[in-house]
Amino acid sequence: MRAILRYCLIGLSLLVLTACAIGDAPAGTPVPITLEPPPTTVFEGDCSQTQGLDTWAQASEFFVAEFMKSVNTAATQNRQEMHDTIIHMSKVRNEASKVVTPDCAQGVQMLMIDSMNKAVDNFQAYANGDVDSLGNIVAEIIGEIDRIIAQQNELKAQLETQYQSPGN
């Protein structure tokens, strides 16, 4: 009887250890990141409509700052750590694509979305092991974001002028 009890306890112990091992994910192979393309950007309205320009300026300023923060975070992470950051970057890009953009902001909106696409694509390729390094992509994206911010500031100055003019 003791032998049967001992074999049952050993069998139960092995079963528990096996169950624990099955629950552990393999450490070396991360799940590839698969992303949907961003939605089509909406170009609508003209910049004489102060409210449309204001809405775009506020939204785009937020999205650029949030995206820049994610780029800087991803640049300090290794391939395995980047997964959630890249997913966040793609969500920010997708939301930025949805912002209704008036005519005077079309150029900066296209630059913003193109830069975001470039960053997401390069970080995704690196995290998935499709490329060996990020190369100069971080510096390129930071340079492009600096240009975007400069253009946003010009449009915000235009917006300020519109708010100060009579009738607004």
Side-chain angles (χ1 to χ4, degrees):
M1 184 70 165
R2 284 184 180 216
I4 293 174
L5 184 58
R6 185 172 40 198
Y7 289 125
C8 286
L9 287 174
I10 291 171
L12 185 58
S13 297
L14 290 174
L15 183 63
V16 169
L17 289 173
T18 303
C20 289
I22 290 173
D24 293 339
T29 312
V31 176
I33 301 170
T34 306
L35 303 170
E36 296 291 322
T40 304
T41 305
V42 179
F43 297 114
E44 184 177 292
D46 63 72
C47 289
S48 65
Q49 300 169 344
T50 305
Q51 188 56 50
L53 179 56
D54 191 3
T55 300
W56 173 85
Q58 288 182 42
S60 69
E61 184 174 26
F62 169 78
F63 290 128
V64 166
E66 188 65 24
F67 195 82
M68 182 68 165
K69 186 171 66 172
S70 295
V71 167
N72 287 328
T73 298
T76 65
Q77 297 175 319
N78 65 44
R79 288 180 204 256
Q80 292 77 25
E81 295 170 329
M82 286 182 180
H83 186 274
D84 292 341
T85 305
I86 295 167
I87 299 295
H88 181 71
M89 287 168 61
S90 73
K91 288 179 180 179
V92 171
R93 174 203 59 191
N94 292 352
E95 291 305 311
S97 293
K98 295 177 187 177
V99 176
V100 176
T101 306
D103 59 359
C104 66
Q106 288 181 6
V108 69
Q109 181 74 5
M110 289 175 17
L111 178 59
M112 180 174 68
I113 299 305
D114 288 346
S115 297
M116 290 177 171
N117 283 334
K118 184 190 307 182
V120 168
D121 290 347
N122 279 276
F123 277 104
Q124 178 184 10
Y126 178 70
N128 286 344
D130 297 335
V131 296
D132 293 331
S133 77
L134 289 169
N136 294 327
I137 194 64
V138 174
E140 285 179 40
I141 296 303
I142 290 171
E144 290 177 11
I145 289 176
D146 287 343
R147 288 197 322 267
I148 292 165
I149 292 170
Q151 291 178 28
Q152 286 175 326
N153 288 338
E154 290 174 15
L155 290 169
K156 287 191 297 189
Q158 175 182 333
L159 184 61
E160 243 179 81
T161 302
Q162 284 178 224
Y163 273 124
Q164 291 173 0
S165 69
N168 281 323

